[in-house]
């Protein structure tokens, strides 16, 4: 065993460090290292002034070689001695630079390329950090080891994402089924008007389900492909990790590039559309009214009854303890009412008032000349009084107040009232926003400015002017 080792060392010393073959015409340079005459000549071919040793990088001052006849004889003797080379050594002998036909013994840290001695001194790698293959392989073996666990985590994460996206197929079916039931319930309420629209909406919903499922499947395919590529690269890293230095470094640049540029496809998310249904004229007309004519109403404290409490944003009013307020000709004294801060004499305006849980209330519009020093009593309010509105005067009685008191019977108890003033047409209409039903419309010639009117009654629940949102459209 000891003899075999000595014999291997002898053969190693008889080899040229550049071509890794037996020395031919061996020469010794200034630093003492030995090379084939042809190999060192090729390495120093285009160099001037300084001639670095390919092995120790010592800069020789001159291009001078000394023939080493003794080493030449020892090389010839070594050739005669049999040596059983290991499989690994035989494989390493195959790694030759295709351009210069020299052994790949160096590695460029900047370009991540394996180099031969001549490549090492080329212009392409000037000022780059160059390491021997053994040192570079040790460094990158440790670095690649650090990539394995994060890569496994990425594989696990993408597999979890795939599992989650797969469950979305069932989720979309459940949501579509739930939405289908909601649609069915809505259409049953107005079945006489929406039979054709019902069928159309269901077809749209089915098409949307197919479209979402198709896109979800495409997303799953992309994620699966990405997972496959991650697994493939992980196997490649693991296989590279156990190989020889040169084999390890041969395609390491490609591995790093793929690792750094690999991006996971975005996960597909879906949201079912909000369908717009073709409702009866009074319903679809209300949507256009709300969208086009809604105005921002605030309350006028100078008109408020002394027992009314107005919020800081002037959007809410409720009956409470008496406040000391200065006398004003526009103030209500007997009726717990308040007006909006802006009157309207032309155009079209829409606003909403929340009346939820109140036992008494009146909302509408009135003239500036409306009498302020007497209570509003049913069967005494006439058109000359200048008030048009609807109200709730008991637990079961809803009325319209104009030239006469008219009982109205909403199918759904209103919690929010929509008021639409159309001065051009001489109409003021009131809507129950809970089922979007028209409660009542007054027809008259509005030649004066009309003011939003709010009467709270004597219960402590507030009347609130509501902000109109997209969902109200």
């Amino acid at each position: 065993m000891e003899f075999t080792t000595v014999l291997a060392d002898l053969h190693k010393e008889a080899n040229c460090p550049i071509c890794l073959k037996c020395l031919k015409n061996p020469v010794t340079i200034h630093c003492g290292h030995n090379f084939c005459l042809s190999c060192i000549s090729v390495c120093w071919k285009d160099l001037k002034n300084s001639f670095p040793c390919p092995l120790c990088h010592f800069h020789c001052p001159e291009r001078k070689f000394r023939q080493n006849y003794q080493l030449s004889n020892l090389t010839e003797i070594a050739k005669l001695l049999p040596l059983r080379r290991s499989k690994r050594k035989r494989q390493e002998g195959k790694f030759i630079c295709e351009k210069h036909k020299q052994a790949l013994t160096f590695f460029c840290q900047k370009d991540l390329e394996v180099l031969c001695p001549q490549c090492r001194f080329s212009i392409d790698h000037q000022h780059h950090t160059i390491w021997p293959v053994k040192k570079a392989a040790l460094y990158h073996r440790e670095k690649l080891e650090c990539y394995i666990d994060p890569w496994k985590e990425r594989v696990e994460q993408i597999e979890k994402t795939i599992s989650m996206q797969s469950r979305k197929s069932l989720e979309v079916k459940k949501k579509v089924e739930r939405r289908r039931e909601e649609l069915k319930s809505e259409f049953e309420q107005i079945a006489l008007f929406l039979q054709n629209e019902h069928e159309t909406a269901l077809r749209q919903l089915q098409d949307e389900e197919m479209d979402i499922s198709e896109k979800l499947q495409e997303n799953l395919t992309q994620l699966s492909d990405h997972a496959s590529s991650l697994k493939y690269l992980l196997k490649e890293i693991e296989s590279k990790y156990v190989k020889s230095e040169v084999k390890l470094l041969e395609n390491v640049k490609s591995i790093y590039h793929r690792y750094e540029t690999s991006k996971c496809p975005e996960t597909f998310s879906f949201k079912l559309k909000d369908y717009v249904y073709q409702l009866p004229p009074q319903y679809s007309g209300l949507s256009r009214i709300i969208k086009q004519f809604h105005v921002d109403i605030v309350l006028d404290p100078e008109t408020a009854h002394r027992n009314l409490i107005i919020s800081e944003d002037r959007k809410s009013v409720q009956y409470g303890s008496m406040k000391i307020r200065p006398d004003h000709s526009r103030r209500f004294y007997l009726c717990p009412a308040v007006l909006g801060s802006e009157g309207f004499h032309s155009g079209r305006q829409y606003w909403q008032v929340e009346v939820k849980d109140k036992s008494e209330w009146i909302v509408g519009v009135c003239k500036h000349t409306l009498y302020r020093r007497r209570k509003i009593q049913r069967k005494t309010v006439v058109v000359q009084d200048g008030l048009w509105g609807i109200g709730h005067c008991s637990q079961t009685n809803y009325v319209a107040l104009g030239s006469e008191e008219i009982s109205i019977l909403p199918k759904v108890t209103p919690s929010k009232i929509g008021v639409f003033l159309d001065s051009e047409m001489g109409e003021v209409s009131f809507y129950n926003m809970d089922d979007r039903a028209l409660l009542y419309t007054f027809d008259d010639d509005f030649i004066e400015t009309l003011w939003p009117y709010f009467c709270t009654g004597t219960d402590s629940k507030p009347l609130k002017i509501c902000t109109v949102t997209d969902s109200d459209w």
Side-chain angles (χ1 to χ4, degrees), residues 88 92 133-148 237-249 252 256:
R88 181 172 177 178
E92 286 184 349
V133 161
K134 189 172 183 179
K135 178 181 178 181
L138 180 62
Y139 170 80
H140 288 283
R141 195 185 305 277
E142 293 176 353
K143 187 175 180 180
L144 284 175
E145 184 179 8
C146 297
Y147 279 52
I148 293 176
I237 291 174
E238 291 175 338
S239 64
K240 281 280 185 183
Y241 177 74
V242 299
K243 292 187 177 179
S244 65
E245 289 90 348
V246 176
K247 196 67 178 178
L248 172 77
L249 300 171
V252 73
Y256 289 153

Side-chain angles (χ1 to χ4, degrees), residues 5-24:
T5 303
V6 173
L7 192 60
D9 291 340
L10 177 61
H11 273 270
K12 183 177 180 181
E13 292 299 324
N15 287 343
C16 173
I18 296 178
C19 65
L20 298 182
K21 297 179 181 179
C22 289
L23 287 163
K24 294 181 180 179

